[in-house]
Amino acid sequence: MQKNLLKISTLSFLFITVIFAQKSQGATITSAPPISFQVSQVAQWFTGLFNNTKQVTNNPIVPQITMLNCGVKLIGNDLMKNTETIYLEQTTGGFPFRVRLYSFFSNDDSQLTISISRFLDETSLLGLCGRPEIEQFINAKNLDSFSCEINLSWFQNSYVGNNSPVGCPTTFPGGKVVSDVLIKPNIIESLDRVFDRNDNLLFGTPIAFHRVETVPEPSILFGLFALSGLGIGTVRKHD
């Protein structure tokens, strides 16, 4: 167990090093695009079909994960101006294990934020991205009280964010998950480090998703998703 935690800690350090390198590289850029453009752009980059096959090829102990994200309408809730809502469904071994609503928004002229929400009923939403566009909506009544936010910063050709040190609550009492994310046009890298009530690191493996396709038409979506979800692996459910 101690050896595994050391490996996780090393991976976490490497991931955070990459994040700060991105920040340093982007620090020379003095003019960010308008915040409304940032909301639209990062949501577009986050939308599509992704997997971490390249990462698994180089490191077989990492679970094979497919991620399908698509824009949806949130009904029954007054959204702030400059808000994009994305439905996320992650699958491993052909089975969905993480279903969330990601809202990209800005409540002022400078700060870009991701808000992550859970659902009261996930089952009714499975396969949402493969349905006709008219059916791609989520009722706000299906969102539970959990909400996790991560602030994003724009740098040249990327968005970088983290919610350290506070993190977000986990499903077990007193625990928290601290998240780092890097979003680029065809790559999404994420690291969720899960801690217990005493701030002991439990687990956290960096995942590097690469774009497979933009979200295709529903008629061919199921075939693509099924083929990309054949990898076998296990993950632990948290945030």
Side-chain angles (χ1 to χ4, degrees), residues 180-224:
D180 296 271
V181 62
L182 171 66
I183 302 173
K184 304 184 76 171
N186 295 302
I187 299 172
I188 299 174
E189 297 182 1
S190 64
L191 170 63
D192 292 335
R193 289 170 288 147
V194 180
F195 298 85
D196 64 17
R197 64 171 67 241
N198 297 316
D199 280 339
N200 296 312
L201 179 66
L202 300 180
F203 57 92
T205 300
I207 302 296
F209 291 103
H210 287 76
R211 183 181 299 281
V212 178
E213 294 284 350
T214 56
V215 175
E217 294 297 321
S219 59
I220 62 174
L221 181 59
F222 287 114
L224 282 172

Side-chain angles (χ1 to χ4, degrees), residues 8 12 15 90 98 102 116 148 150 163 176-181 189-195 201-207 236 238-239:
I8 290 169
S12 301
F15 184 90
Q90 291 182 347
R98 189 169 184 270
Y102 277 60
I116 305 169
C148 178
I150 304 174
N163 58 4
K176 69 177 180 180
V177 54
V178 176
S179 300
D180 296 271
V181 62
E189 297 182 1
S190 64
L191 170 63
D192 292 335
R193 289 170 288 147
V194 180
F195 298 85
L201 179 66
L202 300 180
F203 57 92
T205 300
I207 302 296
R236 300 178 69 172
H238 43 88
D239 70 323

Side-chain angles (χ1 to χ4, degrees), residues 4 36 79 91 114 122 188:
N4 289 337
S36 59
L79 295 176
T91 300
I114 306 174
E122 297 181 351
I188 299 174

